[in-house]
Amino acid sequence: IQLTQSPSSLSASVGDRVTITCRASQGISSYLAWYQQKPGKAPKLLIYAASTLQSGVPSRFSGSGSGTDFTLTISSLQPEDFATYYCQQLNSYPPGFTFGPGTKVDIK
Amino acid sequence: QVQLVQSGAEVKKPGASVKVSCKASGYTFTSYGISWVRQAPGQGLEWMGWISAYNGNTNYAQKLQGRVTMTTDTSTSTAYMELRSLRSDDTAVYYCAGLSIAVAGTYYYYYMDVWGKGTTVTVSS
């Protein structure tokens, strides 16, 4: 299963609403997670099961979608949100929990 | 607190093998799986595979089949990832991550919620 993300990068300002899209090459129900990664750091889980917010993650992050099309939304971008975001499919069959190529969010 | 502590950086020559460890603490090791992910310099995340700490079952990325072996030692709550026949394009930061499952009815949702800090593996002649 292949994942694509769009855009590959975007520039935004603090307070902007940001939307990142992830598309799967075949249906994966809701078996999708989103991660945030900052330079030199390990990824951090934001969302799993397509729309379930991980404990401790701010509510400005939300996920939606099912099947092949998914969205990560940041409702009001904060300075600490500038990072690269990855989607990951975790469908158990066919086996393989592949990542999308990433979307880099930087400061406008 | 739940944490995964990885072994230190490695420098290897092409053709050699590397074995990275990941020691878990703060939870029941056999209750979850351990996944391995790598990231080449300036590149995205690549899922390598995972192992069940409960029964040792493994699932490897097709690209790495035959070169990678993941194991666990439940007596020390440690997971290991061995990569053989190293090439220059295996140069990367290698992460271990706890693989959890959320159950909703008949659906089982996997996710990786706790990560090690990463181990840098450099392959160079």
Side-chain angles (χ1 to χ4, degrees), chain A residues 29-33 35 37 40-45 47-50 54 86 88 90-92 95-101, chain B residues 35-37 39 43-48 50 59-61 95 99 102 106-118:
Chain A
S29 184
S30 296
Y31 298 114
L32 190 101
Y35 301 86
Q37 187 182 34
K41 299 294 187 182
K44 174 187 174 182
L45 175 69
I47 302 277
Y48 64 94
Q54 168 69 351
Y86 294 92
Q88 182 192 25
L90 299 108
N91 198 30
S92 57
F97 297 159
T98 47
F99 287 93
Chain B
S35 196
W36 290 88
V37 175
Q39 187 170 36
Q43 302 301 307
L45 302 172
E46 180 184 9
W47 179 79
M48 300 178 67
W50 74 277
N59 179 6
Y60 301 139
Y95 295 102
L99 186 67
T106 58
Y107 294 91
Y108 290 73
Y109 297 102
Y110 292 93
Y111 55 96
M112 304 190 311
D113 56 345
V114 179
W115 292 67
K117 293 187 184 299

Side-chain angles (χ1 to χ4, degrees), chain B residues 19-119:
Chain B
K19 192 170 187 177
V20 179
S21 67
C22 171
K23 183 172 176 59
S25 62
Y27 72 97
T28 302
F29 182 65
T30 52
S31 296
Y32 303 94
I34 295 288
S35 196
W36 290 88
V37 175
R38 68 180 181 178
Q39 187 170 36
Q43 302 301 307
L45 302 172
E46 180 184 9
W47 179 79
M48 300 178 67
W50 74 277
I51 182 167
S52 166
Y54 173 71
N55 58 18
N57 286 351
T58 55
N59 179 6
Y60 301 139
Q62 193 169 10
K63 171 184 176 180
L64 296 172
Q65 289 272 4
R67 283 207 303 139
V68 68
T69 301
M70 296 175 188
T71 56
T72 60
D73 181 344
T74 55
S75 69
T76 60
S77 298
T78 303
Y80 299 92
M81 185 284 300
E82 182 180 32
L83 189 60
R84 300 176 293 278
S85 302
L86 289 168
R87 310 185 290 245
S88 58
D89 62 356
D90 292 318
T91 294
V93 177
Y94 288 74
Y95 295 102
C96 62
L99 186 67
S100 297
I101 303 174
V103 180
T106 58
Y107 294 91
Y108 290 73
Y109 297 102
Y110 292 93
Y111 55 96
M112 304 190 311
D113 56 345
V114 179
W115 292 67
K117 293 187 184 299
T119 297

